[in-house]
Amino acid sequence: MPRSFLVKKPSSTRIPNYGQLDTRAHDVDGACDSCGGLLVPVLRPPAGPPAAAACDAARPRDRGSLFARFSLPLPAEAKGSAGAGSAGARGSGTPLKDNQILNLPRRRPVAPEGLRGGCGGAAEALGRLACPKPCRPFPGPGRRRQPPRDLQSRRCFSCKYCEKAYGSLGALKMHIRTHTLPCVCKICGKAFSRPWLLQGHIRTHTGEKPYACPHCSRAFADRSNLRAHLQTHSDVKKYQCRACSKTFSRMSLLARHEDGGCCAAS
DNA sequence: CTGGGGAGGGGGCCC
DNA sequence: GGGGCCCCCTCCCCA
């Protein structure tokens, strides 16, 4: 499921100057410029060689879009129609937004959902010629968001590592980072596309957990994981089985429930 | 089998 | 144009 609705068909694509686009790729000894002195070796390296960590990172994760599998209404659609948050037509609860969770003001409108989730397969950090990422299929007809009309008529920039194309050079450069993975952890050698991803990874080394649950004493290193955890405090979960109305805190749990044969569906 | 934590991914938006 | 952050998704693994 390509996340970007900016992705255009290969036709009428324009090959940019890649010499200009190439982001700096750092070797393991060099910290990402963007990350500066973040990479302080506060812990001993793991027992395994760095290559092992990289291989682990290269594990393909994606198994297809759950939105596509279950023909879920995109949360964005639900928001638009009901205005009741991303619970959408499936969920009957009131999902907590991040800023609600953390008492933060909302900074910007929510981007379209359901079209997120990119080519998966992170890392393949070492194979940098062919696109290493098993790109996800679009969720399906009707779910595909059309690029803006003016974008369609504009030129687009295509990625040299994969078939994606973008309407702006900046978007393409950002995408190319997912291939070049310029941010490398000094501790384990794992590579990331963005500095903040690396920061999150470094927390796994340092044990820092800045996101605390307001309902229990549990803390998390990752905001998304706190959000998922908060669902566990909710009586009515966000994702509901259409057959038996049972609710789940995660879409993956709902998927497993339906895959395993919902009692009411059989 | 189920629930949940941990880790990581992507594009978009704002500054 | 780049960096930082946001939001949401996905997968693996374990209890």
Side-chain angles (χ1 to χ4, degrees), chain A residues 85-109:
Chain A
S86 60
R90 293 183 72 88
S92 52
T94 304
L96 289 167
K97 289 300 179 187
D98 213 32
N99 290 326
Q100 294 175 294
I101 293 165
L102 302 172
N103 241 354
L104 298 173
R106 181 161 195 86
R107 286 181 48 186
R108 58 179 173 80

Side-chain angles (χ1 to χ4, degrees), chain A residues 65-244:
Chain A
S65 165
L66 289 168
F67 276 114
R69 289 173 65 197
F70 297 99
S71 302
L72 291 174
L74 298 183
E77 296 170 5
K79 276 178 198 150
S81 57
S86 60
R90 293 183 72 88
S92 52
T94 304
L96 289 167
K97 289 300 179 187
D98 213 32
N99 290 326
Q100 294 175 294
I101 293 165
L102 302 172
N103 241 354
L104 298 173
R106 181 161 195 86
R107 286 181 48 186
R108 58 179 173 80
V110 176
E113 300 165 17
L115 292 168
R116 302 165 187 237
C119 293
E124 305 283 355
L126 305 177
R128 293 185 174 175
L129 290 181
C131 174
K133 302 192 280 188
C135 294
R136 299 167 187 164
F138 277 112
R143 301 231 179 274
R144 188 175 311 183
R145 177 164 163 180
Q146 295 297 322
R149 190 171 296 248
D150 61 333
L151 179 60
Q152 295 180 27
S153 61
R154 270 188 266 141
R155 66 191 178 187
C156 65
F157 301 90
S158 57
C159 175
K160 66 176 176 179
Y161 300 105
C162 69
E163 293 182 350
K164 284 190 174 181
Y166 296 83
S168 73
L169 199 58
L172 174 60
K173 287 176 78 172
M174 182 61 71
H175 165 75
I176 285 180
R177 291 178 70 98
T178 70
H179 294 290
T180 58
L181 302 173
C183 303
V184 181
C185 176
K186 272 189 172 177
I187 300 172
C188 67
K190 196 165 184 179
F192 299 86
S193 60
R194 303 183 198 188
W196 62 268
L197 276 173
L198 174 57
Q199 288 182 39
H201 165 76
I202 288 174
R203 290 198 196 110
T204 68
H205 293 302
T206 63
E208 182 192 5
K209 295 183 176 180
Y211 303 103
C213 174
H215 303 291
C216 65
S217 58
R218 197 158 189 130
F220 299 85
D222 183 86
R223 210 168 195 167
S224 290
N225 291 336
L226 170 59
R227 191 183 301 114
H229 164 79
L230 284 166
Q231 276 282 305
T232 69
H233 289 299
S234 174
D235 288 338
V236 179
K237 308 299 193 299
K238 189 174 177 178
Y239 302 99
Q240 184 174 34
C241 175
R242 282 170 293 190
C244 69

